Amino acid sequence: MNVAILMSRTQLGVQAPPVTIEVFLSGGLPTFSIVGLPETAVRESKDRVRGAIISSGFQFPQGRITVNLGPADLRKTGGRFDLPIALGILGASRLVPLQALDSTEFYGELALNGEIRPVSGTLPASLHAASAGHAVVVPRANGVEASLSSAEVFLADSLLQVSAHLAGTQRADTLRHSPPPVLPASAPDMCEVRGQPLARRAMEVAAAGEHNILMIGPPGTGKSMLARRLPGILPPMSEAEALETASIDSILGRELDLSLWRQRPFRAPHHTASAAALVGGGSDPRPGEASRAHNGVLFLDELPEFSRHVLEVLREPMETGSLTISRVGRQAEFPARFQLVAAMNPCPCGYLGDVAGDCRCSADRVANYRGKISGPLLDRVDILVTVPRPPKDCLRPDAPLAESSAVVAERVRCARELQLARAGASNARISSRELEAVCDATAECWELLERAVDRFALSARAHHRVRRVARTIADLAGEKRVAAPHMAEALALRQLL
Ligand SMILES: Nc1ncnc2c1ncn2[C@@H]1O[C@H](COP(=O)(O)OP(=O)(O)OP(=O)(O)O)[C@@H](O)[C@H]1O
Ligand SMILES: [Mg+2]
Ligand SMILES: [Zn+2]
């Protein structure tokens, strides 16, 4: 019996557990069976592998072919195993030498003519391969993505070309690992937002401490404008964060835009989006918008228009920073640590409390509208700011421009660096215990907070959130100790004064 063994990996959330492809050839009646893959995937893979081997000009073996993808209890996804299966058959038939392959992994879907098609999830697979000290052979179209990892990357175009590479007659192209350059932020600039000093300040504080923020105001006052400018004032992602976020797009089979490397993602799902679109799902679990916003911003515009159920499902990632999708027989976990930015009108017509507008919404309708946003969600919002209609004169074309994103981003960067140096995470992300350690405050400050707790019956969580925001405000001011003015501003930013 002739045997060939190759390595690859499957996809499980952002994990990529190893899979061994064992091919056995023996005499007897011709049969071709693959064990360890779901049934339909097996059928399709067999057809592609046979077609590709024959059209590449190789003889398809006559006897029994048994392919085992192990471990058996691990769920495996589709086309990526075509290439190692085909190479295993060629290797076991002694048509292609397969020596010294114990440190190379193979990925690629075959077309019937032997060409190699791109597959999803090459980035997480390559990252895992790299930490195992393995090289990867990936479809050419996935090469750039794979080379973001430190694995040695060989580019595969066709079964014939990979065979020639293994036979040593023609070496496959390789890609060198080099981190992509970080280009200037592509988000629109803060200087275009006129007036709104309070909301701009709220965005700056939110950016500095990674706080969740809700903006309330009448139509056309700049809420969506402000939200879209948040990524432009946030500090860039670390290389590790950028790889995590890019892994999500890789799993979804999306081409990475390297001109945005290390820029924080900004996802703005429409309010008609389903819960599955938002948090992910499907029988073959796929990440949703909340995961695509990982390490960046999830913007929910027109918050009360989202269904209550959709908002409820966001509680899990907001608390844990990740999402678990459970399906019969398996569980996939995707990271989803995003900063929530939400915007809404004060009432269904939008003009409640506006100086010029006349709102005719009944108290019931207003209560119903606001009631759509559940208490637990509001409890997870650190900053709540009103965005009123800006005074006319600040909209004049000759009115002085406001500060640019670059200037604000620099203050945000300094404040964030203080937080990272002190506790290793932003103020919104540190544990309550760490908060106790870093939130050294004056006696006057505590008195202010206690008065607010009494007056507004603050929950313990809300109490912590105010302290986190106060800590961030002190960081923006470069102060070691949280003082009364910082606490007062934090309370004002939750409309608790
Ligand atoms: N503060 C502002 N400075 C400059 N332009 C503004 C401002 N507010 C609104 N605009 C102009 O109005 C347009 C609409 O603003 P935006 O979409 O941000 O409003 P909104 O507050 O989100 O309204 P809605 O509640 O209807 O969603 C902007 O594209 C911009 O041209
Ligand atoms: Mg808007
Ligand atoms: Zn109204």
Side-chain angles (χ1 to χ4, degrees):
M1 192 157 70
N2 294 326
V3 185
I5 299 175
L6 289 98
M7 289 185 297
S8 189
R9 283 170 194 276
T10 187
Q11 179 86 53
L12 200 71
V14 283
Q15 299 302 314
V19 168
T20 320
I21 296 104
E22 299 165 302
V23 179
F24 303 93
L25 293 188
S26 55
L29 289 178
T31 55
F32 182 8
S33 56
I34 303 181
V35 292
L37 265 186
E39 209 161 320
T40 46
V42 167
R43 222 171 20 239
E44 291 169 7
S45 186
K46 275 200 289 198
D47 289 346
R48 290 191 302 260
V49 166
R50 186 197 305 270
I53 287 181
I54 293 169
S55 58
S56 303
F58 293 110
Q59 167 113 42
F60 197 76
Q62 293 302 311
R64 291 170 68 88
I65 307 171
T66 310
V67 179
N68 179 32
L69 278 71
D73 58 357
L74 191 64
R75 173 86 184 191
K76 300 166 204 80
T77 37
R80 59 163 69 190
F81 302 113
D82 289 359
L83 177 63
I85 291 173
L87 288 172
I89 292 175
L90 297 178
S93 322
R94 307 203 191 287
L95 294 169
V96 170
L98 288 185
Q99 292 93 5
L101 280 191
D102 47 358
S103 59
T104 307
E105 301 179 7
F106 293 87
Y107 300 88
E109 180 174 318
L110 288 168
L112 290 175
N113 65 2
E115 274 174 19
I116 290 168
R117 293 189 171 144
V119 296
S120 61
T122 352
L123 176 54
S126 308
L127 289 169
H128 283 83
S131 47
H134 294 168
V136 292
V137 175
V138 299
R140 185 175 289 272
N142 298 124
V144 171
E145 181 180 318
S147 72
L148 292 172
S149 77
S150 58
E152 186 175 18
V153 177
F154 294 97
L155 302 178
D157 298 305
S158 68
L159 184 57
L160 203 55
Q161 170 251 353
V162 178
S163 306
H165 170 72
L166 294 178
T169 50
Q170 193 180 8
R171 208 177 139 78
D173 294 343
T174 58
L175 270 186
R176 281 237 149 271
H177 162 69
S178 62
V182 185
L183 303 175
S186 62
D189 202 286
M190 273 288 186
C191 70
E192 294 156 24
V193 180
R194 301 191 171 252
Q196 308 300 11
L198 186 67
R200 292 174 61 98
R201 170 72 177 167
M203 287 310 261
E204 179 172 338
V205 175
E210 218 178 342
H211 300 290
N212 297 328
I213 177 170
L214 168 62
M215 291 179 278
I216 306 182
T221 54
K223 300 183 293 299
S224 303
M225 262 185 111
L226 281 158
R228 291 185 185 282
R229 282 157 181 76
L230 179 58
I233 60 171
L234 284 169
M237 293 190 275
S238 68
E239 197 68 23
E241 286 175 319
L243 287 170
E244 288 171 5
T245 305
S247 288
I248 299 290
D249 276 344
S250 169
I251 290 166
L252 288 167
R254 291 174 181 276
E255 204 175 325
L256 303 181
D257 185 350
L258 292 186
S259 69
L260 300 178
W261 189 244
R262 290 180 58 182
Q263 289 190 33
R264 298 198 180 260
F266 179 86
R267 303 299 310 167
H270 192 252
H271 56 72
T272 53
S274 66
L278 214 63
V279 299
S283 57
D284 194 18
R286 281 163 68 81
E289 290 292 334
S291 291
R292 295 190 69 194
H294 180 56
N295 291 323
V297 178
L298 183 70
F299 177 39
L300 302 183
D301 208 354
E302 330 266 349
L303 188 64
E305 304 293 332
F306 282 82
S307 87
R308 215 191 160 94
H309 170 62
V310 166
L311 295 182
E312 286 296 312
V313 296
L314 284 177
R315 283 171 58 180
E316 182 197 342
M318 287 179 73
E319 205 70 340
T320 63
S322 74
L323 275 159
T324 308
I325 304 175
S326 300
R327 289 291 173 271
V328 189
R330 68 206 148 125
Q331 258 192 358
E333 190 175 315
F334 294 107
R337 208 185 56 231
F338 52 81
Q339 186 175 359
L340 181 75
V341 178
M344 64 185 278
N345 297 133
C347 67
C349 86
Y351 291 100
L352 181 71
D354 186 33
V355 273
D358 54 333
C359 164
R360 299 214 184 119
C361 304
S362 67
D364 271 0
R365 278 191 73 203
V366 174
N368 186 22
Y369 180 78
R370 298 206 175 180
K372 286 195 198 156
I373 307 155
S374 70
L377 187 88
L378 273 186
D379 238 13
R380 288 172 173 80
V381 167
D382 300 347
I383 299 178
L384 216 145
V385 69
T386 313
V387 188
R389 189 194 299 258
K392 279 195 294 294
D393 54 348
C394 76
L395 291 177
R396 273 195 221 130
D398 58 351
L401 275 186
E403 265 181 334
S404 70
S405 291
V407 176
V408 183
E410 182 52 24
R411 288 196 297 265
V412 168
R413 192 185 63 77
C414 295
R416 185 72 74 89
E417 256 170 26
L418 285 176
Q419 298 164 44
L420 294 180
R422 187 174 55 214
S426 64
N427 289 334
R429 306 277 176 221
I430 55 176
S431 69
S432 314
R433 192 170 338 127
E434 282 165 324
L435 181 70
E436 300 294 342
V438 302
C439 203
D440 176 22
T442 61
E444 208 188 339
C445 197
W446 293 129
E447 275 167 34
L448 257 178
L449 183 57
E450 274 158 25
R451 273 208 299 278
V453 168
D454 287 343
R455 199 162 141 216
F456 298 98
L458 289 192
S459 72
R461 189 189 277 127
H463 179 265
H464 267 119
R465 302 230 159 213
V466 173
R467 286 171 59 190
R468 285 173 202 274
V469 175
R471 180 65 263 176
T472 302
I473 292 167
D475 289 335
L476 275 167
E479 299 284 348
K480 276 210 158 56
R481 199 152 188 230
V482 182
H486 309 135
M487 187 60 81
E489 189 180 1
L491 287 165
L493 285 176
R494 260 196 85 108
Q495 308 193 337
L496 293 175
L497 275 186

